[in-house]
Amino acid sequence: MEQYTFSYTVYTSMEEIPSDILALVNQACEARKAAYAPYSDFLVGAAIEMEDGEVHTGSNQENAAYPSGLCAERVAVYHASSVCGDKKMKRIAIVGGSRGSENSYPAAPCGACRQSLLEYEEKQGSPIEVIFCGVGIVPVYVVDSVKDLLPFSFGRENLG
Ligand code: THU
């Protein structure tokens, strides 16, 4: 029997959160304010820190034709790649929760967003750290790499 394991960190109090992580989480909170989610009322913000410290953000954008909408993570990562070209992405912070809620349930990225983020991790050849939490901030989850969240993934090697 084979086993798949990975390690992650959980910060359960505000005092424990490293200041650089908290700063990016705050930028995701700020980005969340621009979410357009009239159908689900679930608002998500994402902030991507590039290798040079530049930050690119995104928020979920919904549409009356539901599948045409896009998650915050993909708005952020496609924007970052569009404007930064080959610059590497260091990490992404994601904050999500229903409108008006103080819920602390962590907003882990959906499967499609994991797949999209993995594409850039593989392209750049270095891990993108994934930080996610609810609107109550703690607990904050930190995973070292997108690939940890997507075992047995489909990638460019499948197309070779
Ligand atoms: N959503 C995100 O923005 N990111 C995710 O990883 C999961 C879900 C959005 C999509 C939709 O606008 C709303 O949250 C409810 O699913």
Side-chain angles (χ1 to χ4, degrees), residues 19-159:
S19 56
D20 52 346
I21 289 182
L22 187 57
L24 198 62
V25 165
N26 283 333
Q27 282 177 278
C29 285
E30 200 52 39
R32 180 174 172 270
K33 293 179 185 167
Y36 175 65
Y39 305 106
S40 72
D41 261 345
F42 188 81
L43 314 178
V44 186
I48 297 178
E49 185 185 329
M50 310 301 293
E51 58 185 345
D52 62 358
E54 212 173 270
V55 173
H56 295 281
T57 62
S59 56
N60 56 328
Q61 300 296 314
E62 296 185 349
N63 192 282
Y66 294 172
S68 301
L70 201 60
C71 292
E73 297 91 319
R74 276 175 287 165
V75 171
V77 79
Y78 293 149
H79 173 67
S81 178
S82 300
V83 299
C84 295
D86 285 336
K87 212 189 276 183
K88 291 186 179 183
M89 301 176 197
K90 192 175 165 197
R91 50 194 177 185
I92 179 168
I94 305 150
V95 178
S98 295
R99 193 187 304 280
S101 157
E102 292 299 314
N103 197 339
S104 280
Y105 195 79
C110 77
C113 287
R114 293 177 195 205
Q115 179 73 32
S116 299
L117 290 165
L118 185 67
E119 180 73 24
Y120 296 97
E121 187 170 274
E122 291 191 336
K123 173 179 177 256
Q124 70 184 30
S126 61
I128 302 171
E129 189 177 77
V130 183
I131 301 157
F132 56 93
C133 62
V135 285
I137 309 299
V138 284
V140 174
Y141 284 68
V142 181
V143 177
D144 290 343
S145 169
V146 178
K147 73 171 170 20
D148 288 343
L149 295 175
L150 205 59
F152 298 109
S153 57
F154 184 88
R156 59 177 71 187
E157 64 282 359
N158 291 102
L159 301 174

